[in-house]
Amino acid sequence: MKNKNAKSIERGKLVKFLDTELKINKIQDLSRNGLQVQGTERIVRVGLAVDACEEAYAAAAHENCQMIIVHHGMIWGGLPYITKTIYRQIKFLFDHAINLYAAHLPLDLHPKYGNNAQLADILDIRSRKPFGDYKGTIVGCEGVLPAAADIAALSGRLEKALGGNNVLLPFGKKKIRRVGILSGRATDILAEAVGKGLDCFVTGEPIHEHYHLAREGGINVIYCGHYYSEKVGVQAIGKLIEKKFGVECVFLDIPTIM
């Protein structure tokens, strides 16, 4: 995303924009979404990552980023102790004056820039409706493909766009039309997909209990990997920031095994 004409932005202005666009203060979440660690006031470059971790912070510093926007932040519920790993993370951010901004559920469920909306865009899902009750919040989406496709074709589209190697449970219809999507680790959502009679469920992390539920429920499942299914949201937010403010954004690609 390099831009020779990149501009800078004041931290408070960018944080306010993100808080408003992502409805940070209106969505209940275990994650403490928003600005989690305060760094320098003037931002010239923004790093984008899936996870808040030492590797991401080091990459952000190497890329001369003054802010890093992540999906999985550092603070969940609270920080009972600032020792060991958490101490090192906070100290690194302070030492390099890097701002840490997190958006978990707000970036999952955003209808345009969210992880699930972006996955639906890859598959060209039409007639979208909310889907996937995650602890009382509807996070994912469901809809219809413009033309029937088999599970291999859908998986191929996702692998080409996301990278990684998908895991498939081909236990449903040969020709798929109705698809439900929920990124990350959708432990309890497969049962909802089966109950709704969907042809295919697209998610992130493979789960042991899903195998027999999918087989007995007669549904296809595509696992893209937790990481790969949730990198698209921060990437979309980066493109939005560049378009609206001219501030350069760089994706820090740090894949995990899931």
Side-chain angles (χ1 to χ4, degrees):
M1 297 184 187
K2 290 187 177 181
N3 179 2
K4 294 181 180 178
N5 299 314
K7 302 176 182 177
S8 66
I9 188 171
E10 192 268 328
R11 178 190 63 238
K13 182 177 180 180
L14 181 54
V15 168
K16 182 178 180 180
F17 169 76
L18 292 170
D19 286 353
T20 302
E21 179 63 45
L22 297 172
K23 296 182 171 59
I24 290 295
N25 298 317
K26 296 182 179 180
I27 298 171
Q28 291 188 339
D29 195 355
L30 181 61
S31 171
R32 297 297 186 182
N33 297 310
L35 186 66
Q36 292 192 337
V37 178
Q38 180 175 307
T40 188
E41 185 172 335
R42 180 60 54 176
I43 296 167
V44 179
R45 205 172 197 211
V46 177
L48 312 164
V50 175
D51 302 303
C53 60
E54 292 182 69
E55 190 174 358
Y57 309 148
H62 178 74
E63 293 288 347
N64 193 31
C65 299
Q66 293 76 41
M67 174 180 277
I68 179 170
I69 299 173
V70 299
H71 181 51
H72 301 131
M74 179 193 300
I75 305 173
W76 299 79
L79 289 176
Y81 304 101
I82 303 177
T83 59
K84 300 179 180 178
T85 299
I86 295 299
Y87 168 77
R88 291 198 305 270
Q89 289 192 30
I90 292 175
K91 184 176 186 300
F92 188 95
L93 292 170
F94 281 169
D95 287 348
H96 293 81
I98 297 174
N99 296 278
L100 174 64
Y101 187 99
H104 183 231
L105 291 187
L107 193 53
D108 280 324
L109 58 78
H110 193 284
K112 184 173 182 180
Y113 305 111
N115 290 314
N116 297 298
Q118 292 292 307
L119 294 175
D121 286 348
I122 292 170
L123 296 178
D124 194 21
I125 299 293
R126 314 284 178 84
S127 303
R128 298 180 194 179
K129 298 185 294 185
F131 162 79
D133 187 338
Y134 177 80
K135 298 181 180 179
T137 301
I138 306 301
V139 177
C141 65
E142 64 171 284
V144 181
L145 294 169
D150 62 28
I151 189 171
L154 294 184
S155 178
R157 288 187 222 170
L158 290 163
E159 284 188 343
K160 183 177 180 180
L162 304 175
N165 297 295
N166 294 347
V167 175
L168 309 182
L169 298 182
F171 297 147
K173 295 178 180 178
K174 297 298 182 182
K175 292 299 182 180
I176 296 166
R177 286 298 303 273
R178 297 182 61 209
V179 179
I181 300 173
L182 203 150
S183 65
R185 190 174 194 273
T187 307
D188 302 320
I189 311 302
L190 178 58
E192 183 179 339
V194 171
K196 287 194 167 190
L198 299 181
D199 302 330
C200 184
F201 177 49
V202 176
T203 186
E205 189 173 330
I207 298 171
H208 172 79
E209 300 92 321
H210 277 187
Y211 183 88
H212 293 293
L213 177 57
R215 188 181 186 91
E216 294 165 14
I219 189 172
N220 297 291
V221 184
I222 300 175
Y223 299 102
C224 302
H226 198 136
Y227 175 84
Y228 292 101
S229 73
E230 297 197 320
K231 71 180 191 178
V232 286
V234 290
Q235 289 176 322
I237 286 296
K239 291 177 182 177
L240 175 63
I241 291 170
E242 287 192 333
K243 181 178 180 180
K244 186 170 182 65
F245 300 110
V247 175
E248 186 176 355
C249 296
V250 57
F251 180 60
L252 310 172
D253 194 10
I254 306 170
T256 65
I257 60 171
M258 299 303 290

